[in-house]
Amino acid sequence: MSPNHLKSPPLVPDSMPVAEALRRSAPLAALRERLKESGERFEAIRASLPPGLANQVAPGPVDAEGWSVLAANAAVAAKLRQLRPRLEAILQQRGWQVSAIRIKVQTP
């Protein structure tokens, strides 16, 4: 019978800061780059959005098929669909390959 107070605590590795994990992991680094690119694309189009619309829109994922823009509701999504050709032209002028801007309504 050994007393519990003599047992050593379980070994837990030191936690790694998220930024360090992103730098060390190739898949996470690729994710970080896609997030950065999505944010940069959004900043490029933000000024072209009508007043009051920009705060109803958020950048979404970038992948091989294109870029998603997230709309707060169906009315915002409809307006973004009208603006899509202009937004795609802005991105192309800034040097991004634009295969498609997907517009999605955010779900709560």
Side-chain angles (χ1 to χ4, degrees):
M1 221 184 342
S2 64
N4 285 338
H5 71 277
L6 296 178
K7 288 184 179 179
S8 61
L11 295 177
V12 178
D14 290 335
S15 63
M16 181 184 309
V18 173
E20 182 65 22
L22 288 173
R23 279 191 293 278
R24 288 186 182 191
S25 167
L28 291 177
L31 174 61
R32 186 184 77 212
E33 286 303 312
R34 287 195 311 268
L35 289 171
K36 180 182 171 196
E37 181 180 341
S38 180
E40 289 171 350
R41 286 178 183 227
F42 185 69
E43 288 305 313
I45 66 164
R46 182 190 293 267
S48 298
L49 297 174
L53 191 67
N55 62 349
Q56 300 292 313
V57 179
V62 175
D63 56 33
E65 285 96 46
W67 177 47
S68 293
V69 177
L70 308 174
N73 55 54
V76 172
K79 184 62 179 175
L80 287 172
R81 286 184 187 95
Q82 291 174 343
L83 296 171
R84 186 179 358 219
R86 180 169 49 153
L87 301 177
E88 289 172 347
I90 291 168
L91 293 175
Q92 288 172 346
Q93 289 171 355
R94 303 260 176 120
W96 278 294
Q97 294 287 12
V98 180
S99 54
I101 295 179
R102 295 179 303 262
I103 298 165
K104 299 182 178 185
V105 177
Q106 282 183 309
T107 54

